Amino acid sequence: MSKPLSILFVSSEVVPFAKTGGLADVSGALPQTIRELGHDIRIIMPKFAAVSERRFKIHDIKRLTDIPVTVGERNLLGSVKSSFLANIKTKVQVYFLANEELFGRTDLYTDPETKEAWPDNDDRFIFFSRGVIETIKLLGWRPDILHLNDWQTGLIAAIIKAEYAKDPLFRGTKIVFTVHNAAYQGVFPRESFAKTGLPESAFSIDGVEFHGGINLLKAGLIYSDIITTVSPTYAKEIRSGPEYGFGLEGVFRKRARDTYGLLNGMDTMIWNPATDQEIPAQYSAEDLSGKVVNKKALCERFALPFAEEAPVIGIVSRLTDQKGFDLIKEKIDDLLSEDIRLVVLGSGDTQYEDFLVRVQKKHKRKMGVHIGFDEPLAHLIEAGSDMFLMPSKYEPCGLNQMYSLVYGTLPIVRATGGLADTVIDLDEKPKTGNGFTFVEYSAKEMMKAVRRALSAYRNRDVWKAAMVRGMKSDFSWTSSAQRYIDLYKTLLKRK
Ligand code: ADP
């Protein structure tokens, strides 16, 4: 094997320490898999109050306390704490950058009282960015690759390019920037620019400037050596227009040659119907008999009458526009006029929560709704449903369609982002199909796909064959992590 690479993975959230979204899942799983494949990868994240020092046995690193970090006119101090991400095979070193004033709050990005972003998020993530660089300097550990993730880390690329281009410690270091969701950009007013410490020249259209303010996602896009996104289709979509690029489509277009789409993996230990302890009956591609037991249990859980010939359509989702709830809302009557059961688990926008609860009250024998976040119930829905509806407006990668595929629950999805890369339409490709897709974002097209699914469901042999194909998919992190490693190696060969 060739020489192991050294990689610093920088992310503001990492499972199991802190999570608000898919970024945290990737940041927990990808480094561990890269470590399993033999590379020296370490993680650094902020020490939010939500990260429990006792639970994770986090301790101080004596020589890394009271590190001076400047944020504009403010001279702040950071300290580095340490713990590990450990599974059966590996241990990954995790550094936590602490500053009580900035990170000593439970909520990561928003004030729970106002529901608005913390007003000092600029200071917090400028501090984090500069603190990460100071930490590398003090560690004296030269990473071959700095792997940055999302807007919270974008500034690191800009600072390194502006201030450390000739520094021997960083001269050989290449920067990879992964975009997990282009809708979140870290936009701040003009005044925040001075706090970054970047040279005035960086406040330009080819720098961090964005509509008169600054944009930290843009910083990552402009100054990194390569950009990755979490699925091949999403990598193309973000440069196609504002509905995917959210104002940065021009920047994505400019960097198209250096942009790669690498599909996320999923946790195959937690999401495996053959070993899942959250569901009443385990099953596999070789023995599907448990599936109907789960369907009965799911119907029972929501007090719905079970009927083998009436398919259960499941939804597990954040209740937002991104996930296509405006389409579902528009066609709910048509949907419920079919011979189906509809089961929804989710939380989010009040308008969708209220709407679902209201409709459910009118259709108690056809629809089950649970508002909230409930992991065991998510497992039961994946296992007990026949179909899974995910009509997303955009979907960088998406996990639920992968869970559905391996649980033999045929996904009905809009062909966007990671959904387009994982779900193959059964009517278009009868030999390889594993679900149903529609292209145009409209309620009418969604309903057409649902009706095609309902009609295919009646052909039991064809349906079962499609289930089995989905269940045999390989969405493990190993294949994904190998692609990242290959990309790191290609990048390091560049001058
Ligand atoms: P996103 O990250 O955009 O929300 P993904 O499909 O990538 O969408 O991932 C969603 C994850 O969150 C999945 O693991 C899904 O099971 C879980 N999830 C979403 N809403 C709920 C909920 N209400 N209860 C339990 N799990 C949920």
Side-chain angles (χ1 to χ4, degrees), residues 19 21-23 25 181 271 316-318 322-323 345-347 370-378 382 390 395-401 403:
K19 168 171 171 169
L23 165 65
D25 293 309
N181 190 333
W271 293 95
V316 179
S317 182
R318 289 186 289 119
Q322 183 205 326
K323 300 293 179 178
L345 164 64
S347 63
H370 182 91
I371 302 294
F373 196 92
D374 188 332
E375 193 106 17
L377 183 56
E382 288 293 2
M390 202 167 170
E395 195 62 74
C397 176
L399 285 169
N400 276 307
Q401 85 281 11
Y403 302 158

Side-chain angles (χ1 to χ4, degrees), residues 149-187:
N149 294 277
D150 278 356
W151 70 265
Q152 298 88 342
T153 65
L155 202 56
I156 297 175
I159 297 170
I160 295 216
K161 290 285 151 75
E163 297 173 24
Y164 293 92
K166 298 209 170 76
D167 189 307
L169 192 60
F170 292 101
R171 210 163 35 207
T173 300
K174 298 286 187 195
I175 303 178
V176 176
F177 184 63
T178 299
V179 179
H180 298 259
N181 190 333
Y184 301 97
Q185 303 186 344
V187 174

